[in-house]
Structures are given as C-alpha cells and as structure tokens.
Amino acid sequence: LSENNLTGQLPPELGDLPQLQLLYLFYNSLTGTIPPELGNLTQLQVLDLDGNTLTGTIPPELGNLTQLQVLDLRNNFLTGAIPPELGSLTQLQRLYLFGNSLTGAIPPELGNLTQLQVLWLEGNHLTGVLPRSFMQLVNLQSFHFYGQALCAPADDAFQGWLSSIPDVRGPTCGPSQFAVEVTHRALTALYASTNGGTWDNNSGWDTTAVPTNMEDFGAWYGLTVSNGRLSSIRLHENFLTGSIPAELGSLTQLESLWLFDNTLTGVIPPELGNLTQLETLLLFDNTLTGVIPPELGNLTQLQVLDLDGNTLTGEIPPELGNLTQLQVLRLEGNHLTGVLPRSFMQLVNLQSFYFGGQTLCAPADDAFQAWLSSIPDVRGPTCGPLQFASDVDNRAFTVNRPVASLVLPEATGGATPYTYVLEPALPSGLDFEPSLRTISGTPTAVTSAASYMYSVADNSGNVASLGFTLEVVPAVSFGDMIADLSFARAQPIDPLVLPEAAGGAAPVTYTLIPALPAGLTFDTTRTLTGTPTVVTDAPKQYTYSATGANGSRDSLLFTIEVFSPVAAEHESLPESFAVHGNYPNPFRESTRLVFDLPWPASVTVEVMDITGRRVFAVPAAGKAAGWKHTILLSGRAMPSGLYLYRLTATSPEGRSVHTSKFMRIR
C-alpha cells in the first residue's frame, strides 16, 4: 500500500494476520505510534514504514519478528532509545533507522545481527560510542552513523573492522578539529568533519563576505595558507547553522562541496551555478528551503547531486537535464511538486536516482518510462492516470435565487499542478472560479437544460473530462387555491386531488401538515381520501407545500373541519334532495358541487355561459342515497367569467333539478 497518500493511524488489527510476509506502507502520511501488535506477525520478512509521520517509540515487540530480513523505519518522527530486543532479529539483512529523533546509546545486542548488510543510523540524536560487539557484523556492506554525538572507537582493532566496510560514513572518537591537506604549500582542501564538531571558533557560519583570495580565505578560518587553489570543501556532519554564503560561487576551481548533515537554512544560492568545475555537490540532510535554482544546470561536470532530506519546494527546473555527466541524483524527502521534466531523458549516465516521498512523479508515457527503467537504482512514483474523484450530477438552479457554492470534483493522478476549465459560458449571473473549482452567483434568467464539459489538464498535458447538464428553472408556484373543506363524520369522502405546482427542479415533493383528522390520509399522488371518524372542535388550518429539488418552495393555506350532521345523528338518510352549492367559488382550476340524495339517483350536470350556451356536461352517474355527495367540475378550458350550472337527479321518485351560478377566475 505504498505511495497512496494514506492517512490516520496504523490499526493494531494488522497484528491479526499471522501469515503475512510482506508489509509495505512507505511514503504515505500515516500518523500515531507503531502498534506493538505488529510483533505478532512472526512470518513477516519485510516491514517498510519509510517516509510517514509516525511518532512514539519503537515497540520492543518487534524483536519477536525472527523471520524479518528488512526493517525500514527511516524518515519518521520516532523518539526514545533503540530497543535491545531488535538484537533478536538474527535474519535481518537491512536496518534503516535514520531521519528520526532517536536518543541514547546503541544497544550492544545489535551486534547479534550477523546477517546485517546495511545499517543506517544517521540523522538522529544518538550518543556515545559504537559498541564493540559491532565487530561481529562481518557481512556489513553499508554503515552510516554520522550527524550526531556518536562516534567509533579509535583503537586499531575497531578501526580495522570499520575500514573493511565498503560504504561507511561516521566519525571516529577524538578531538574535533580541522584537517587541512597541503600540497606544495598550497591549500587544496578544507575538512572539518572528523567528529561531528563545530567551527574551531564555535561561531557557526560567518555570513560576511567569503574571501576569494586564498590567503584571506585561510585567515577567515584561522589558518595559515599561501598561494592556494581550493578544490574541495568538506564541512559535513557538523552543527553548522545559517545560510550557505553566496560568495562560495566565487571559488570557481572547486571540484567538491560537501555540506551535508548540518542545520543549514535558507535557499540554495544560484551563484553555485558558477562552479563549473564542480563534480560533487552534497547538501542533503539540512533544512534548506525554496526552489532548486535553475543555475545548477550550468554544472556540466557534475557527477553527484544529493539534495535529499531538506524542505525544498516547487517544480524541478528543466535545466537539470543539462547535467549529462550526472551519475547520482537524489531529490527525495523534500516538498517538491509536479512532474519530472522530459529533459531528464538526456541524463544517459545516471546510475542512481531517488525522487519519492513528495508530490513529484514521473511521466507515464513509454518513452520516459523506458529511460527510467534503464537506471539501475531508481526509486520514485510514476504519475497515475488523470481522473476525477467523482462524477458531476445534472443541476437545476432557480431563477433569482442565490446558488449555494457548488464545488466541482477534484482531479487525482497525473502530474500537478492542475488546470480546470468549464465550457461553454454559464447562464447569466453565474460564475466559475477555476482555482476553487466553484460555481456561484444568482441566475437572472430561465434557461433550458444545456450540456457542459468540465475538464482538467495536468502538467504533462493529459486531459480528463466530465459532462453534465445545467438549467435555470422558474420558482415553484401554485396557480390555484384550495377552498376550506368540510366533511361529514362517518361519510366516505370523494377522493380530492390537491393542486399541482408549476416550476421548480424535479422532483417536486408535496407535504401537508399538520396531521389530518382521524380516518383521512394524504398520499404521494396529492390525493385526500378516507372516512373521517372524529368530529373536530373547529376548523383547523393546514399548510400544503411544494418543494423543488433545488429548494424552491410555495405553499397554500386552507382549513378542514369534520362535522356531525343532525340528520345523520337521528336518521340514516336525508329527508329531501338538497344542493349545498359549490366550493371553492370563485375558483381557478376546479370546483366541487355538494348535494344530498334521499334516494338512489342518476345525476348529471350541465354548465352554460350567461347567454345560455352549453359549455360542457358531466355524463350521468349513479349515486346512492346519502349525505354530501360531490361532483368535480374542471374549469381549465373555460375563460374567466360567470357561469350557470344545472344539476339533475333522476330516480324512481321523479326528477329533481337545481340551478345556480359560479365564477371562474384566473
């Protein structure tokens, strides 16, 4: 799971995987402590937690991992002492602990790791003398322990063992001093790195002008020199502070500049680009900031450039592709961003290249990957496919209603930085801010649904796109009213469909509050049905609302009452035919006629305008004897005005006719 931007803490449940052999979690952003439950993974051969932000101590339980061959805990924030229990890892071949804040002395038990080939301890706060048990590490090929108050015994036996290691970096115990190489009375090299010491005057960098005259340069360090051609400065593994003097760029004969493993701050001076004879530039393990100066591309003789473990930012300057003699390039452990420049494909002599641990990646195309795979020792991620984290849903906004800021999805993969584009132009009143990926504003006109393309381009020219539609709709509104309603107790009501709203973004939802009288229901088809069972004390007000998907809303108010007719209380049927008029009156869309039947009848309704011309008729329908029958009349096709209606009830008892009037309004 390496290089996945994982966050959070390591779950102790990982210890429940007893058959696990390989656990790679390097180059994520994991926090918290290392769970001691990892000590249960007795079959584990590789545990790699490099390049996270883990804290706390190294659990002694890791000493239970007797099959472990690689333990990599470098570049975290671990504290405390190295647990002596690690001496039980007798199969261990590589142990990386550098770049933490470990303290205390080295436990002599580490001398039991006789299979160890690589041991890197630098960049901590370890103290004391290397244990003599280390002389048992006969297979050691690479051993780094510099940059702290830790040193090797000076006796011949230990030094003989130390000198047998091909790659060793670290001081021998002894007085801190400068070592000066003199050839024909000329100063050729200035060394001050034998014991992690400081300047002889304990003053750190003197950031006044560095003399370019060798006699003055020697005096600057308190040395006596004459006629010198300075070719090498090695001031690594000290506690030097301050910034790198730009005046070093005047030492144009310099071939080697080693300033690594100090506490230097500030930027890399672009003046170092004047050192055209330079073959080795080692600035790693400081706290340098800023960008890599493109002027370093002038160092055409450079063979080794190591900038690891600083806080450098920005993109890699393409000018570094001019360093065609480069064999080693180390950039990892900074905060560099973007994509490796294609000019790097000119670095045909590169043998070792590290660039991971940051948002920096290699182009994924075949040509660049073929060059990258030609490097024997390479470590760093390839840019993933450029894509969006999620889709964009179709959107509908309400005219004249402010839009809650809509953040479009972020891109992932590819090579940062990203460039976002939204096309075509948004409806009037709306804006898109690419840097925030946000649509905001207040649309000022209704529009139909239109197609939009949301695209992102990365630093390598890759493009990804998402399509969606956007429209501006009218606000939700009712074109009709609802008359106050009155229902008889224990009498089924004719289904009553409440008005439909216009406008708004679909789907429009309807609500009716508060709760209806007992026995009545309101459903998703906007219909009131049922048989009221309880008489209400008084008419109760109800709110009928329509709400669009984008939050637009309109409401109507009306009352409902349930009464108990006196006739219904004492008689089972009405005594006579009676028409109770229509409601609402006047009306917009529809109205209802209410009438009583003392006997079963066939009922028809005719509607005439004021000239007597029949407008429409409701076909005859059979009705049982009973109270409060209703017939719905739709007036959608009728112009506004006054109308007459004639209700005719035909039964075995005879024919009854009632005529009255109502008004349609818009």
Side-chain angles (χ1 to χ4, degrees):
L1 300 175
S2 56
E3 300 178 281
N4 274 290
N5 294 319
L6 299 177
T7 58
Q9 300 189 4
L10 284 170
E13 290 82 357
L14 286 176
D16 297 334
L17 306 175
Q19 302 302 314
L20 197 64
Q21 297 180 7
L22 308 174
L23 180 54
Y24 291 99
L25 291 168
F26 62 85
Y27 291 159
N28 285 291
S29 300
L30 300 171
T31 57
T33 60
I34 300 174
E37 289 82 357
L38 295 188
N40 298 333
L41 306 178
T42 55
Q43 300 301 311
L44 204 62
Q45 299 176 21
V46 176
L47 175 57
D48 193 339
L49 303 177
D50 174 20
N52 287 283
T53 53
L54 300 172
T55 55
T57 61
I58 300 174
E61 289 81 359
L62 296 187
N64 299 332
L65 308 179
T66 55
Q67 302 301 311
L68 206 62
Q69 299 176 22
V70 177
L71 177 57
D72 193 342
L73 304 179
R74 57 185 153 173
N75 295 320
N76 283 285
F77 296 92
L78 301 174
T79 55
I82 299 173
E85 288 81 359
L86 296 188
S88 301
L89 307 179
T90 56
Q91 302 301 312
L92 203 63
Q93 299 176 20
R94 298 184 181 187
L95 176 57
Y96 301 101
L97 300 178
F98 77 81
N100 286 286
S101 299
L102 301 173
T103 55
I106 305 296
E109 288 82 357
L110 294 192
N112 298 331
L113 308 180
T114 56
Q115 302 301 312
L116 210 58
Q117 300 175 20
V118 178
L119 176 58
W120 290 1
L121 303 173
E122 73 270 29
N124 286 287
H125 304 300
L126 300 169
T127 56
V129 181
L130 296 176
R132 302 192 68 81
S133 61
F134 271 25
M135 296 172 64
Q136 301 170 184
L137 306 181
V138 294
N139 291 303
L140 207 55
Q141 301 295 307
S142 181
F143 180 28
H144 300 173
F145 59 95
Y146 57 84
Q148 49 206 334
L150 182 65
C151 58
D155 63 274
D156 292 343
F158 199 95
Q159 288 294 309
W161 168 78
L162 201 64
S163 64
S164 70
I165 302 172
D167 174 29
V168 63
R169 297 184 188 179
T172 295
C173 301
S176 175
Q177 59 183 2
F178 288 104
V180 180
E181 282 187 11
V182 179
T183 302
H184 301 300
R185 299 178 56 78
L187 181 64
T188 61
L190 177 63
Y191 296 169
S193 59
T194 57
N195 192 32
T198 60
W199 291 105
D200 58 345
N201 59 4
N202 295 311
S203 62
W205 280 111
D206 180 357
T207 54
T208 58
V210 177
T212 58
N213 175 277
M214 287 302 98
E215 287 80 1
D216 293 340
F217 190 89
W220 191 56
Y221 290 110
L223 303 172
T224 301
V225 296
S226 63
N227 243 352
R229 183 184 76 83
L230 193 62
S231 63
S232 181
I233 296 180
R234 300 184 182 182
L235 302 177
H236 56 291
E237 304 173 34
N238 286 282
F239 300 109
L240 303 182
T241 60
S243 58
I244 300 174
E247 292 80 1
L248 288 181
S250 301
L251 306 176
T252 56
Q253 300 301 311
L254 209 59
E255 297 175 359
S256 177
L257 179 56
W258 294 13
L259 300 177
F260 65 86
D261 198 22
N262 286 291
T263 53
L264 302 176
T265 56
V267 301
I268 300 174
E271 290 80 1
L272 296 187
N274 298 330
L275 306 179
T276 56
Q277 302 302 310
L278 204 63
E279 297 178 356
T280 305
L281 178 57
L282 304 181
L283 302 179
F284 62 89
D285 289 342
N286 282 286
T287 52
L288 300 173
T289 56
V291 300
I292 299 175
E295 289 80 0
L296 296 188
N298 298 330
L299 307 180
T300 55
Q301 302 302 310
L302 203 63
Q303 298 176 25
V304 179
L305 175 59
D306 194 336
L307 304 178
D308 278 0
N310 284 285
T311 316
L312 301 173
T313 55
E315 299 183 16
I316 307 297
E319 289 82 357
L320 295 192
N322 298 331
L323 307 180
T324 55
Q325 302 302 311
L326 210 59
Q327 299 178 28
V328 176
L329 177 57
R330 301 286 174 83
L331 303 173
E332 67 181 353
N334 286 285
H335 302 302
L336 299 169
T337 57
V339 63
L340 296 177
R342 302 195 69 80
S343 61
F344 271 26
M345 296 170 66
Q346 301 169 185
L347 305 181
V348 293
N349 292 303
L350 207 56
Q351 300 296 307
S352 181
F353 181 26
Y354 292 175
F355 60 95
Q358 52 206 330
T359 55
L360 179 67
C361 59
D365 62 273
D366 292 343
F368 199 96
Q369 287 295 308
W371 168 79
L372 201 64
S373 63
S374 71
I375 303 172
D377 179 26
V378 64
R379 184 165 70 185
T382 294
C383 303
L386 183 64
Q387 59 188 3
F388 284 106
S390 62
D391 292 329
V392 182
D393 294 331
N394 295 332
R395 296 285 174 167
F397 301 127
T398 301
V399 67
N400 298 324
R401 180 186 178 94
V403 172
S405 294
L406 171 61
V407 180
L408 299 184
E410 186 175 11
T412 60
T416 57
Y418 302 133
T419 302
Y420 296 95
V421 176
L422 180 61
E423 296 176 320
L426 288 169
S428 175
L430 295 179
D431 294 300
F432 175 65
E433 174 50 57
S435 63
L436 302 175
R437 313 187 315 279
T438 301
I439 295 175
S440 59
T442 302
T444 58
V446 173
T447 66
S448 57
S451 296
Y452 284 82
M453 188 62 65
Y454 174 54
S455 303
V456 62
D458 71 359
N459 202 32
S460 291
N462 299 310
V463 176
S465 299
L466 291 175
F468 66 100
T469 63
L470 189 152
E471 63 179 319
V472 180
V473 299
V476 169
S477 64
F478 285 110
D480 205 349
M481 299 182 298
I482 303 176
D484 295 337
L485 302 177
S486 180
F487 302 120
R489 184 190 65 81
Q491 297 293 321
I493 70 171
D494 288 339
L496 174 61
V497 179
L498 299 187
E500 184 176 12
V508 177
T509 57
Y510 296 88
T511 58
L512 182 61
I513 57 175
L516 288 167
L520 296 180
T521 59
F522 175 72
D523 61 27
T524 56
T525 64
R526 314 187 318 277
T527 304
L528 275 175
T529 56
T531 301
T533 59
V534 177
V535 173
T536 57
D537 294 334
K540 188 173 185 180
Q541 181 168 281
Y542 285 82
T543 302
Y544 173 57
S545 300
T547 305
N550 53 359
S552 177
R553 183 178 182 180
D554 193 18
S555 298
L556 296 175
L557 299 178
F558 66 100
T559 63
I560 295 178
E561 68 170 333
V562 178
F563 64 91
S564 180
V566 174
E569 294 296 329
H570 300 285
E571 302 178 29
S572 59
L573 293 173
E575 293 183 352
S576 62
F577 170 72
V579 178
H580 302 288
N582 65 291
Y583 68 91
N585 187 21
F587 68 94
R588 293 180 184 272
E589 299 293 330
S590 61
T591 187
R592 287 180 178 273
L593 301 180
V594 182
F595 55 94
D596 300 334
L597 289 176
W599 13 251
S602 175
V603 179
T604 61
V605 178
E606 296 171 284
V607 177
M608 288 77 65
D609 62 18
I610 57 174
T611 67
R613 181 177 60 88
R614 190 168 72 167
V615 176
F616 70 87
V618 176
K623 299 286 186 180
W627 303 90
K628 302 295 184 182
H629 287 290
T630 64
I631 292 179
L632 179 66
L633 301 181
S634 176
R636 291 180 182 271
M638 299 164 55
S640 298
L642 184 65
Y643 292 86
L644 303 175
Y645 69 86
R646 181 166 57 208
L647 188 151
T648 303
T650 304
S651 72
E653 304 296 327
R655 184 168 176 267
S656 298
V657 178
H658 175 83
T659 301
S660 188
K661 59 187 176 181
F662 56 65
M663 179 171 288
R664 167 83 197 288
I665 61 173
R666 289 191 176 183

